Amino acid sequence: MRALADFVMRGRKQATLVVVASAALPMLFWLSAAVSSLVLLRRGLSDSLGVVAWALLPGAVWWYLGDPRVPMVLLGTLALALALRSELPWRQVMLYSVGLGVVYALVLGAVFDEPIASLSGEVQKLLPQALPGVWEQMSGDEQARLEAVLTGVITGLLAALLQMLTLVSLMLGRYWQGVLYNPGGFGREFRELRFPPLLGLTLLAATLLGPNLGAGTAMLTPLCSVPLMFAGLALVHGLVAQGRLGRFWLIGMYVTLVLFVQLLYPLLAFLAVVDSLLDFRGRASRNRGSGPENG
């Protein structure tokens, strides 16, 4: 991957070639977003506009064909890259990603309203089996309200996938920037990701209470959980870097995340909230420096 970053940073022609080719190919649009963010982070907005404009051309074609994900992820990644370039901390970038996820959800709800409604209808058919006895006792208005909330959650889930892909693309661009110009810089930044107690509890409350506040806020449940999940990953990386955990924990965590995402994802989010209250990494650093000077 470093060879690709070296090639991209050789000049504008090389960068334009990579972003256009990856945006035009199916399932590689995340690479176009990552490369574009690298160029923006290193050279600034004015010098990267030419590259980004070319990358938007295949994105516009994809949108015309009915798939808005390419330009959405590209523009979203660049927006977060601008925030990161202005030296905002990662926790603030993560919060901005929630607002970006809301925009994603609104666009997806408008473009894919029929497929989302169809998917929601299929899930609703399973509700009598998932809620035996309870579903039959619900009134017609309560069932309709639950169906609307379900549609909002599904839309939020789809938007959260794009939100995560946007953040991963930004992290890849930042990682490339660190490898080329500031070795180890991205790792130090990411391991410091931690939310203050108030923000951590607010994200948790929005995740848990979003569906209870109405169909319009139901999408917040998956969107607000994404920053917490990344903060949980940063916690594990930080504890490994401090020597509190062995490196095999990282391997096991990512393997488990791929195979059993439905189990590990909420656990990481919960650990992030607990860490916002207890600051495990800060406690470990203070404990190492609190012993007597003579040993």
Side-chain angles (χ1 to χ4, degrees):
M1 297 294 281
R2 173 166 183 167
L4 178 61
D6 279 325
F7 177 77
V8 166
M9 299 309 295
R10 287 178 187 173
R12 181 171 296 181
K13 292 182 179 179
Q14 291 84 346
T16 303
L17 175 63
V18 173
V19 297
V20 172
S22 54
L25 294 174
M27 305 307 295
L28 280 181
F29 59 91
W30 57 270
L31 182 60
S32 178
V35 171
S36 299
S37 67
L38 168 62
V39 175
L40 190 150
L41 288 169
R42 179 60 182 175
R43 298 178 178 172
L45 180 61
S46 58
D47 289 341
S48 62
L49 278 178
V51 175
V52 173
W54 281 104
L56 289 174
L57 289 180
V61 173
W62 280 113
W63 193 311
Y64 177 77
L65 296 176
D67 188 355
R69 295 175 301 170
V70 177
M72 287 168 61
V73 171
L74 178 60
L75 293 175
T77 304
L78 293 175
L80 296 184
L82 281 174
L84 194 60
R85 181 177 167 80
S86 63
E87 299 184 356
L88 292 178
W90 272 102
R91 66 173 179 271
Q92 198 160 346
V93 174
M94 290 287 172
L95 291 178
Y96 287 166
S97 76
V98 176
L100 193 63
V102 173
V103 175
Y104 287 168
L106 295 176
V107 174
L108 292 175
V111 176
F112 297 117
D113 54 339
E114 293 184 3
I116 291 175
S118 177
L119 179 60
S120 177
E122 294 299 323
V123 176
Q124 291 166 16
K125 294 178 182 178
L126 302 176
L127 290 179
Q129 302 176 8
L131 302 172
V134 177
W135 178 260
E136 290 76 7
Q137 295 177 2
M138 297 175 65
S139 64
D141 291 340
E142 291 174 337
Q143 292 181 358
R145 191 178 305 112
L146 181 59
E147 292 171 358
V149 168
L150 183 60
T151 301
V153 171
I154 292 176
T155 305
L157 282 173
L158 297 176
L161 292 176
L162 295 183
Q163 179 188 1
M164 284 188 285
L165 192 59
T166 299
L167 288 170
V168 169
S169 299
L170 176 62
M171 289 178 181
L172 181 56
R174 189 65 158 184
Y175 167 76
W176 280 335
Q177 184 188 24
V179 167
L180 295 178
Y181 308 107
N182 183 25
F186 169 71
R188 290 190 295 270
E189 287 180 352
F190 183 66
R191 290 192 294 268
E192 292 175 357
L193 173 59
R194 172 181 170 270
F195 291 107
L198 180 60
L199 284 179
L201 293 175
T202 301
L203 289 172
L204 177 63
T207 300
L208 297 178
L209 301 179
N212 296 327
L213 299 177
T217 59
M219 67 178 69
L220 293 178
T221 291
L223 297 178
C224 290
S225 68
V226 172
L228 293 176
M229 187 274 295
F230 279 105
L233 293 176
L235 170 62
V236 178
H237 276 271
L239 294 177
V240 170
Q242 291 177 347
R244 299 286 301 277
L245 295 175
R247 283 195 168 274
F248 70 90
W249 281 92
L250 287 179
I251 300 174
M253 178 183 66
Y254 284 108
V255 171
T256 306
L257 188 60
V258 172
L259 298 178
F260 305 101
V261 61
Q262 70 276 12
L263 298 177
L264 189 59
Y265 186 101
L267 177 60
L268 288 171
F270 175 75
L271 288 176
V273 175
V274 176
D275 180 56
S276 70
L277 300 173
L278 301 180
D279 190 11
F280 295 119
R281 287 158 288 184
R283 286 171 177 264
S285 300
R286 291 192 294 269
N287 289 339
R288 284 204 305 270
S290 62
E293 293 182 357
N294 61 4

